[in-house]
């Protein structure tokens, strides 16, 4: 949208590096997601208090699900930032980002059935397998590294795309 509104020239003339611009937009979006998730903590508290007996809630799974949501939000935000550098039209960028997210979330699960001998290996390339693991309450370094790597990859190519424009 900076190209359409003309604010990209202001950003480019400021003493900001491309990384600062990309990370500023990224962290602003992440803060927005965190603010949107904060009210949902009341649901977890309510279920915790209304459980029979009180506290009958899988706290590990709940914390893992929230952590997984933050990792998903970071990955989806990085993908959205990347696709917004590919097109000046916001609708096109949105549709492209939805397509990439869908392919990363469900595509590898669908492709894994074609590879009988290496089904598990193909599933490990997809987001769904890593999110399911974290949402069970198991914080595995492989899952964390996967989300951090995919997020960094899309932020890096966003920076490269921004540098080329």
């Amino acid at each position: 949208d900076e190209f359409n509104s003309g604010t990209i020239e202001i950003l480019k003339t400021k003493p900001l590096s491309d990384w600062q611009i990309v990370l500023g937009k990224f962290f602003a979006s992440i803060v927005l997601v965190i603010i949107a998730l904060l009210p949902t903590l009341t649901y977890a508290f309510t279920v915790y208090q209304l459980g029979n007996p009180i506290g009958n809630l899988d706290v590990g799974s709940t914390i893992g699900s929230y952590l997984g949501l933050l990792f998903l939000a970071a990955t989806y935000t990085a993908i959205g930032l990347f696709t917004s550098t590919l097109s000046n039209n916001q609708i096109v960028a949105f549709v492209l980002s939805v397509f990439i997210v869908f392919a990363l979330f469900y595509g590898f699960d669908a492709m894994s059935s074609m590879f009988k001998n290496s089904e598990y290996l193909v599933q490990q390339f997809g987001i769904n397998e890593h999110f399911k693991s974290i949402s069970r309450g198991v914080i595995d370094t492989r899952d964390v590294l996967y989300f951090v790597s995919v997020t960094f990859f899309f932020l890096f190519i966003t920076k490269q795309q921004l540098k080329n424009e």
Side-chain angles (χ1 to χ4, degrees), residues 4-66:
N4 292 338
S5 63
T7 56
I8 191 68
E9 286 82 13
I10 296 171
L11 279 174
K12 289 288 194 171
T13 57
K14 296 279 184 188
L16 298 171
S17 68
D18 288 339
W19 270 119
Q20 289 173 324
I21 293 170
V22 169
L23 291 177
K25 289 180 126 330
F26 175 74
F27 287 124
S29 299
I30 293 300
V31 167
L32 185 65
V33 168
I34 291 171
I35 290 171
L37 283 176
L38 281 176
T40 65
L41 290 173
T42 59
Y43 297 130
F45 178 74
T46 303
V47 170
Y48 184 86
Q49 290 297 318
L50 294 177
N52 190 9
I54 291 179
N56 190 16
L57 175 70
D58 187 2
V59 177
S61 178
T62 304
I63 291 171
S65 294
Y66 274 104

Side-chain angles (χ1 to χ4, degrees), residues 93-115:
F94 171 74
V95 169
L96 188 58
S97 65
V98 167
F99 176 75
I100 292 172
V101 164
F102 184 80
L104 284 175
F105 198 86
Y106 291 114
F108 289 103
D109 284 342
M111 285 180 15
S112 68
S113 63
M114 295 188 309
F115 302 100

Side-chain angles (χ1 to χ4, degrees), residues 37-163:
L37 283 176
L38 281 176
T40 65
L41 290 173
T42 59
Y43 297 130
F45 178 74
T46 303
V47 170
Y48 184 86
Q49 290 297 318
L50 294 177
N52 190 9
I54 291 179
N56 190 16
L57 175 70
D58 187 2
V59 177
S61 178
T62 304
I63 291 171
S65 294
Y66 274 104
L67 188 62
L69 279 174
L70 289 176
F71 282 132
L72 276 178
T75 303
Y76 292 172
T77 299
I79 292 170
L81 283 175
F82 169 66
T83 58
S84 69
T85 62
L86 297 178
S87 173
N88 291 337
N89 189 335
Q90 292 176 353
I91 305 298
V92 172
F94 171 74
V95 169
L96 188 58
S97 65
V98 167
F99 176 75
I100 292 172
V101 164
F102 184 80
L104 284 175
F105 198 86
Y106 291 114
F108 289 103
D109 284 342
M111 285 180 15
S112 68
S113 63
M114 295 188 309
F115 302 100
K116 295 296 180 198
N117 294 337
S118 56
E119 184 174 345
Y120 178 74
L121 180 67
V122 174
Q123 285 178 343
Q124 289 299 307
F125 285 107
I127 292 175
N128 190 20
E129 193 68 26
H130 296 282
F131 177 70
K132 282 194 297 189
S133 176
I134 288 179
S135 67
R136 283 188 217 113
V138 179
I139 311 298
D140 191 359
T141 54
R142 291 176 292 186
D143 301 325
V144 172
L145 186 62
Y146 173 83
F147 280 112
V148 169
S149 299
V150 171
T151 301
F152 179 77
F153 171 74
F154 278 102
L155 289 175
F156 178 75
I157 59 177
T158 300
K159 181 215 170 252
Q160 295 297 0
Q161 187 69 20
L162 189 63
K163 185 172 72 171

